[in-house]
Amino acid sequence: MFLTEEQTKEIESMAELFFSLDQIAANAEIDPEDFRDEVQSKTGPAYVAYITGWLKGEIPLRKSIAEAAANGSNPAQQMMITMIQNAEIDRQ
């Protein structure tokens, strides 16, 4: 999939805020099926822009959850346990 620099930046920006694939495709004016296929295949520039944006949004969120868990927040501790369990599954 060919993307302009503007589309790449828009995908990254919207993924950082956890918009859906369809919303991102509509806003970036790209074919939603092609975009979804590339993201799901985990290859290509659309995937790179999407995952880069997603991680830019998720990293600070996880850091704040970890901080709240360290400060004794039971819900945050449960969220951290779930994240750890999910990461263990991904590593296998």
Side-chain angles (χ1 to χ4, degrees):
M1 166 181 280
F2 174 79
L3 298 172
T4 66
E5 185 177 338
E6 184 178 323
Q7 287 171 317
T8 300
K9 288 178 180 178
E10 195 61 30
I11 291 168
E12 190 175 315
S13 175
M14 291 184 73
E16 184 176 354
L17 298 171
F18 310 112
F19 281 94
S20 73
L21 294 177
D22 289 338
Q23 291 170 323
I24 294 171
N27 194 55
E29 298 179 352
I30 54 179
D31 182 271
E33 288 182 31
D34 290 345
F35 180 58
R36 181 176 299 284
D37 289 346
E38 190 164 313
V39 170
Q40 289 176 340
S41 74
K42 297 182 180 181
T43 61
Y47 170 73
V48 172
Y50 178 78
I51 198 65
T52 299
W54 183 275
L55 290 172
K56 282 183 177 180
E58 190 171 14
I59 289 168
L61 180 61
R62 285 185 180 225
K63 284 181 178 180
S64 70
I65 293 168
E67 186 176 322
N71 289 329
S73 167
N74 192 344
Q77 291 168 346
Q78 291 301 315
M79 291 176 78
M80 287 299 300
I81 290 168
T82 300
M83 286 189 283
I84 290 167
Q85 291 169 340
N86 290 341
E88 288 174 356
I89 292 169
D90 290 344
R91 291 187 304 183
Q92 295 178 2

